[in-house]
Amino acid sequence: MNRALAETLTVLDRQRARVKWQQESYFSELSGVFSTQTSTHVRGFQGDLISDESVLDDLVMTRQVKPDPSLETSWPELGKVDMAGMGFGPCGYSNGPSFDMNYAISRTFSCPPAVAATIAKEAMEVKGKESIVSENMGSAVARESSKKRKADKLHNSKVAADDDSKKTKACGEEEEESKITGPPNTNKSSTKQEPSADTSKENSKLTEVQKPDYIHVRARRGQATDSHSLAERVRREKISERMKYLQHLVPGCNKITGKAGMLDEIINYVQSLQRQVEFLSMKLAAVNPRLDFDIDNLFAKDVFPPCMTNFPTVGMSSEMANPSYLHFNPVQQVVACSGVEMGLNSPDIALRRTISAPESTIPDASFLDSSCFTQIQPSPTWDVELQNVYNVAFEHGRSTTPFPSQPFA
Amino acid sequence: MKRWRAKREHQIYSSKLFQALCRSRRTSSSTSAKELHQTADRVLAITAKGTTRWSRAILAAPLTAGTNMKKHKKAKVTVHTRLRKPVVNREKKKLPVVERKLKALRRLVPGCRKLSCNNLLEETSDYIAALEMQ
């Protein structure tokens, strides 16, 4: 009986001690335990846990008895356990503490999204490190896949963010050393003169692109991994991409290669375009009084031809003629009235000549070209036709008549 | 760049141009070519909806555009990382060739006097497309 009493006493004592210990040292123990963890992510979690203390308080108060047995069993296994799981231990203790860190983090515990984001980030780092350590063999695979990745490098050819590069630097240095001992690759070894100093963008091949907000640059096989040269290469590629686009825009630049020649062509083209606009505006200004009459008719029709279309010489529809009306009909009226024919003709010819010089083969020239000239024809016949156009249009008068296409046949 | 090819954009541009021209004609009886040019440019810039540099430049300074050819400072030489080491004379002559062309381009495209090589090319392509539409 005494023994039973003693036992009960001891049991009570034990329980009391446990409760006290639980209450007092719960948080300190937690933090203490966490600090002993090897991974640095704990500290990150600590901050998060402190915010969750209020939650823990409630839980501790309400569930003092329940977590007690599981606490004892789980403490020794803390080494494996994720901190996040512990943070909500009272809730999820029954789940068992032995799940992997990653799984726990991927599990959607009721973390606030910000915390979850930081946790996820750190998980990625851990993942990266693990992958580096465990994938020494994978470097060979990476080499092979580098060739593949070369093909779809275009998809990923963006500059890495600075902090991302620093992260990869830290991880990459480890990997660099492991890779040096990897399968022999003369190209790589020759370029790896300062492995410790270089940021290994090779590492970006292993770490997945899990952060969509960061942009990665993948170094190609057999190219320098210097950070400067990488940035330079990216810049150069951007420039060449833009130059290619400009090549498409500027007509007749398919044959010309090289930046200087291309730039020359571009400059000429821009200049000619600007001159055309000036000329057009001059024309318009000269014809201004007649502007009102025709515009109503013009805008009555909704269809506007795209200015880029290559006007066939014969098949000029009336719809296509509409925008040109703005220029031509008023022009014609004025021409007839004021007799500035020659004045207008010569700028036409002059412009045509200047345009034909740099753009001799342009079928799809600007709107001005197509409307005024349709085809670059020898000057004497052109003058005659132009005058014919003027006269005919003037005789017909209004815009109801379709634009005469016969002179252009 | 795609938008300068869209029919809808053309319609928008032409209708806006028409309105602007009518308005300008009502206010001032004489419409010089220059005014017209400026109006057209401004309408083009408006159609760009402020996404491009040159359009903003046109809209910001309509009075000075085209008339005021300020003497711009030397175009900023894009820093090639190769230049960290002393440059050979031959290389020195090579670089300015492209640089001079870029300078000329900068003068042509409004509002792009201080742009880097990269952005300049982008602005140029947009500008060309817009001019073609005009």
Side-chain angles (χ1 to χ4, degrees):
Chain A
M1 191 162 159
N2 280 339
R3 219 189 288 156
L5 266 173
E7 278 175 4
T8 52
L9 274 171
T10 53
V11 166
L12 266 173
D13 284 343
R14 247 183 279 143
Q15 278 187 354
R16 245 182 264 135
R18 258 190 234 135
V19 167
K20 260 192 203 169
W21 166 78
Q22 204 182 345
Q23 286 177 4
E24 291 166 15
S25 62
Y26 189 71
F27 302 114
S28 59
E29 270 298 310
L30 272 176
S31 52
V33 164
F34 290 162
S35 59
T36 57
Q37 293 297 321
T38 52
S39 71
T40 55
H41 309 295
V42 183
R43 291 194 193 104
F45 283 106
Q46 249 190 334
D48 310 331
L49 280 167
I50 290 167
S51 64
D52 299 332
E53 266 182 10
S54 56
V55 179
L56 281 171
D57 276 333
D58 298 331
L59 290 166
V60 165
M61 289 309 149
T62 53
R63 303 191 194 182
Q64 280 172 5
V65 180
K66 191 186 166 185
D68 189 30
S70 52
L71 245 184
E72 282 192 343
T73 57
S74 63
W75 279 126
E77 297 179 16
L78 250 179
K80 298 186 212 167
V81 175
D82 61 315
M83 277 48 71
M86 286 302 290
F88 293 83
C91 308
Y93 262 33
S94 52
N95 292 332
S98 59
F99 40 69
D100 194 25
M101 195 185 292
N102 290 333
Y103 296 151
I105 288 164
S106 63
R107 209 182 283 233
T108 55
F109 47 80
S110 53
C111 236
V115 175
T118 56
I119 289 169
K121 250 192 189 176
E122 284 152 355
M124 300 316 169
E125 271 190 31
V126 173
K127 237 186 186 172
K129 275 199 172 171
E130 285 177 351
S131 67
I132 291 162
V133 168
S134 63
E135 287 184 12
N136 275 337
M137 298 302 295
S139 59
V141 179
R143 294 261 159 66
E144 289 165 28
S145 58
S146 73
K147 284 184 186 165
K148 244 195 289 172
R149 291 223 177 87
K150 221 183 189 177
D152 61 357
K153 188 222 172 232
L154 282 172
H155 298 292
N156 303 321
S157 62
K158 294 173 192 168
V159 184
D162 278 345
D163 42 344
D164 185 42
S165 67
K166 281 174 194 162
K167 274 186 203 166
T168 56
K169 199 179 194 170
C171 305
E173 277 171 299
E174 299 174 356
E175 202 202 18
E176 274 276 11
E177 293 153 19
S178 68
K179 270 194 175 169
I180 289 171
T181 60
N185 190 351
T186 53
N187 280 343
K188 282 235 157 79
S189 58
S190 63
T191 55
K192 279 185 187 174
Q193 289 161 7
E194 296 171 20
S196 54
D198 299 344
T199 59
S200 166
K201 296 298 180 184
E202 307 291 291
N203 184 37
S204 60
K205 288 183 193 169
L206 286 184
T207 56
E208 300 164 24
V209 185
Q210 283 163 343
K211 306 171 198 178
D213 47 304
Y214 288 107
I215 14 185
H216 285 272
V217 152
R218 305 234 163 152
R220 281 194 267 198
R221 188 186 177 141
Q223 291 186 347
T225 52
D226 203 17
S227 69
H228 295 308
S229 55
L230 267 168
E232 205 185 307
R233 195 182 312 130
V234 164
R235 177 185 154 270
R236 254 183 281 143
E237 275 160 8
K238 269 194 196 169
I239 288 181
S240 65
E241 191 187 321
R242 303 237 166 100
M243 295 283 290
K244 266 192 222 160
Y245 190 81
L246 277 168
Q247 247 187 353
H248 288 304
L249 267 185
V250 180
C253 273
N254 301 320
K255 303 132 191 172
I256 298 188
T257 49
K259 271 201 254 182
M262 264 300 302
L263 279 173
D264 271 332
E265 286 299 318
I266 291 168
I267 289 171
N268 285 337
Y269 190 59
V270 169
Q271 275 174 348
S272 60
L273 279 177
Q274 282 177 341
R275 255 180 276 146
Q276 281 177 25
V277 170
E278 239 182 86
F279 171 65
L280 261 181
S281 66
M282 198 172 67
K283 257 192 171 186
L284 256 185
V287 209
N288 249 342
R290 315 298 307 180
L291 215 61
D292 279 334
F293 296 95
D294 300 325
I295 290 210
D296 299 329
N297 290 320
L298 278 177
F299 285 89
K301 301 201 180 186
D302 287 327
V303 179
F304 285 86
C307 298
M308 307 299 187
T309 54
N310 180 9
F311 287 173
T313 56
V314 180
M316 243 213 281
S317 63
S318 59
E319 293 157 345
M320 281 201 280
N322 274 334
S324 66
Y325 254 127
L326 183 61
H327 310 289
F328 259 103
N329 212 346
V331 170
Q332 291 147 16
Q333 303 283 357
V334 171
V335 162
C337 302
S338 58
V340 194
E341 261 181 271
M342 300 317 296
L344 277 175
N345 277 343
S346 42
D348 279 354
I349 298 162
L351 189 59
R352 181 167 43 90
R353 287 215 191 104
T354 56
I355 290 169
S356 62
E359 310 164 347
S360 51
T361 60
I362 298 174
D364 59 340
S366 72
F367 174 60
L368 170 63
D369 280 342
S370 48
S371 66
C372 290
F373 314 116
T374 59
Q375 244 187 10
I376 296 177
Q377 293 178 355
S379 42
T381 56
W382 185 253
D383 289 342
V384 171
E385 285 172 358
L386 207 55
Q387 294 196 16
N388 285 340
V389 166
Y390 288 157
N391 297 331
V392 167
F394 179 63
E395 281 162 17
H396 285 283
R398 278 330 192 129
S399 56
T400 50
T401 60
F403 196 78
S405 56
Q406 300 107 6
F408 295 95
Chain B
M1 320 318 164
K2 295 285 177 186
R3 86 170 114 155
W4 296 113
R5 295 185 177 251
K7 269 191 189 178
R8 181 86 192 106
E9 283 297 325
H10 295 178
Q11 289 178 24
I12 293 173
Y13 173 69
S14 25
S15 55
K16 280 194 179 163
L17 181 63
F18 167 51
Q19 288 169 12
L21 286 175
C22 283
R23 230 181 300 136
S24 67
R25 278 224 312 152
R26 260 179 243 131
T27 52
S28 67
S29 54
S30 71
T31 46
S32 66
K34 212 180 246 178
E35 256 182 58
L36 201 56
H37 193 181
Q38 276 179 16
T39 325
D41 281 338
R42 230 176 302 157
V43 174
L44 187 68
I46 290 169
T47 319
K49 288 188 197 105
T51 47
T52 52
R53 211 183 188 86
W54 58 263
S55 62
R56 274 174 265 153
I58 290 178
L59 291 170
L63 304 167
T64 59
T67 55
N68 190 7
M69 296 296 285
K70 271 189 253 169
K71 266 204 173 178
H72 58 279
K73 312 166 201 161
K74 257 191 189 176
K76 183 179 172 201
V77 180
T78 54
V79 178
H80 293 264
T81 51
R82 278 193 222 109
L83 288 178
R84 299 271 165 100
K85 17 177 181 166
V87 181
V88 185
N89 267 339
R90 229 183 316 126
E91 275 187 39
K92 239 189 213 168
K93 282 180 194 165
K94 221 196 213 178
L95 290 170
V97 169
V98 181
E99 261 305 310
R100 250 179 251 131
K101 308 220 165 108
L102 287 177
K103 252 193 195 178
L105 203 53
R106 283 195 186 101
R107 258 181 284 151
L108 283 178
V109 184
C112 292
R113 292 222 238 103
K114 291 191 184 171
L115 277 188
S116 63
C117 194
N118 222 338
N119 296 330
L120 183 65
L121 291 176
E122 201 176 330
E123 290 289 324
T124 312
S125 58
D126 205 48
Y127 188 56
I128 287 177
L131 276 182
E132 282 175 359
M133 188 189 85
Q134 201 177 32

